[in-house]
C-alpha cells in the first residue's frame, strides 16, 4: 500500500497548527508544555491591565502578547467577552473614544485586585517565568519544528510513500523523540 497526504487527514494538514482555539490554545505550543493561565487567571490579568490604565481590547491583546514574550496572543473572541464580563460584574467600565471602546477598572475592580493581590502577583510571576523560559528556547525550537513539519508535508505531498519508506520515517521520528527525552 502507498500513502499520501489524504491518508493522514487532519493530522497532516494541522501538524503543529492551531485548531479549535480556547483561552489556552493560543500559546503556540505552550498548552502542550503546561497551561500558562488557570481558570479565571486571564480575567484577573486583564482586570489588572485595565487597572494600570484604560485600554482598548486590541491593546489588551498586545499587552498579553508582550507579557508572554510573544508566546500567547488571545483571540478577540476571548478578550472581548471577558471585558464584557468584567463590565457586567461591575469591575470595569467602558467609555467611547474615537468610535472605540476604552475599558478601565472601576473602584470595585481595583478593590477586587487588592483583595486577590497574592493570586494576581503569583499569576504575573508565573507569566514572567514562562516568558523568560520561552524567549531563550522558543525561536530555535520553533525553527527546528517547522523544518520537520515542512519535510513531512513535502514528503506526504509527493505521494507514492511505500510501507517501507513510511516505516523508515516513523522510526526516524521515534528515534529523534527518544534522543530528545534522553537529553
Amino acid at each position: 500500500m502507498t500513502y499520501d497526504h489524504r491518508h493522514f487527514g487532519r493530522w497532516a494538514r494541522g501538524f503543529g497548527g492551531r485548531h479549535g482555539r480556547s483561552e489556552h490554545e493560543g500559546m503556540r505550543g505552550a498548552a502542550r508544555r503546561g497551561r500558562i493561565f488557570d481558570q479565571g487567571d486571564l480575567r484577573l490579568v486583564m482586570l489588572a491591565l485595565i487597572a494600570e490604565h484604560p485600554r482598548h481590547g486590541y491593546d489588551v491583546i498586545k499587552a498579553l502578547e508582550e507579557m508572554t514574550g510573544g508566546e500567547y496572543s488571545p483571540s478577540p473572541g476571548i478578550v472581548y467577552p471577558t471585558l464584557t464580563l468584567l463590565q457586567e460584574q461591575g469591575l470595569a467600565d467602558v467609555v467611547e473614544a474615537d468610535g472605540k471602546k476604552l475599558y478601565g477598572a472601576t473602584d470595585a475592580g481595583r478593590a477586587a485586585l487588592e483583595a486577590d493581590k497574592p493570586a494576581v502577583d503569583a499569576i504575573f510571576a508565573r507569566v514572567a517565568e514562562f516568558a523568560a523560559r520561552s524567549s531563550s528556547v522558543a525561536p530555535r525550537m520553533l525553527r527546528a519544528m517547522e523544518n520537520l513539519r515542512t519535510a513531512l508535508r513535502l514528503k506526504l505531498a509527493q505521494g507514492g510513500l511505500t510501507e517501507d519508506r513510511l516505516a523508515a520515517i516513523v522510526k526516524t521520528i521515534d528515534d529523534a523523540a527518544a534522543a530528545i527525552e534522553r537529553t
Side-chain angles (χ1 to χ4, degrees):
M1 174 174 209
T2 60
Y3 298 89
D4 63 22
H5 68 283
R6 292 180 303 260
H7 292 281
F8 295 93
R10 182 176 172 174
W11 182 85
R13 290 188 307 276
F15 183 72
R18 288 189 264 176
H19 298 284
R21 294 176 59 126
S22 75
E23 173 179 322
H24 306 290
E25 291 173 337
M27 292 185 282
R28 297 188 198 146
R32 289 185 297 274
R33 293 190 299 268
R35 291 170 25 167
I36 190 170
F37 294 117
D38 290 331
Q39 185 172 357
D41 287 356
L42 185 59
R43 184 183 62 86
L44 283 174
V45 169
M46 289 174 58
L47 181 58
L49 289 173
I50 63 173
E52 285 177 357
H53 60 82
R55 299 173 191 255
H56 299 287
Y58 177 79
D59 296 329
V60 172
I61 291 170
K62 288 298 164 197
L64 286 164
E65 189 172 18
E66 187 176 303
M67 284 174 54
T68 61
E71 288 294 306
Y72 175 60
S73 181
S75 71
I78 296 296
V79 170
Y80 289 102
T82 302
L83 290 169
T84 300
L85 175 66
L86 291 170
Q87 182 185 9
E88 290 170 354
Q89 293 175 332
L91 303 175
D93 55 12
V94 180
V95 295
E96 290 282 331
D98 299 323
K100 295 181 181 179
K101 292 181 177 182
L102 192 61
Y103 296 86
T106 61
D107 290 338
R110 287 191 228 353
L113 285 171
E114 191 58 38
D116 283 338
K117 187 167 178 22
V120 172
D121 290 345
I123 295 166
F124 275 89
R126 189 173 67 236
V127 169
E129 179 184 320
F130 172 82
R133 186 174 58 239
S134 295
S135 66
S136 64
V137 175
R140 293 180 289 166
M141 184 83 67
L142 289 174
R143 181 201 48 78
M145 288 169 37
E146 283 299 318
N147 285 347
L148 175 61
R149 175 182 166 172
T150 300
L152 289 171
R153 281 187 173 183
L154 289 173
K155 186 54 78 174
L156 290 171
Q158 287 175 352
L161 193 59
T162 66
E163 185 66 40
D164 290 340
R165 284 185 174 165
L166 177 62
I169 291 169
V170 168
K171 182 179 180 339
T172 300
I173 294 170
D174 287 343
D175 290 348
I180 290 167
E181 288 176 358
R182 286 191 301 269
T183 56

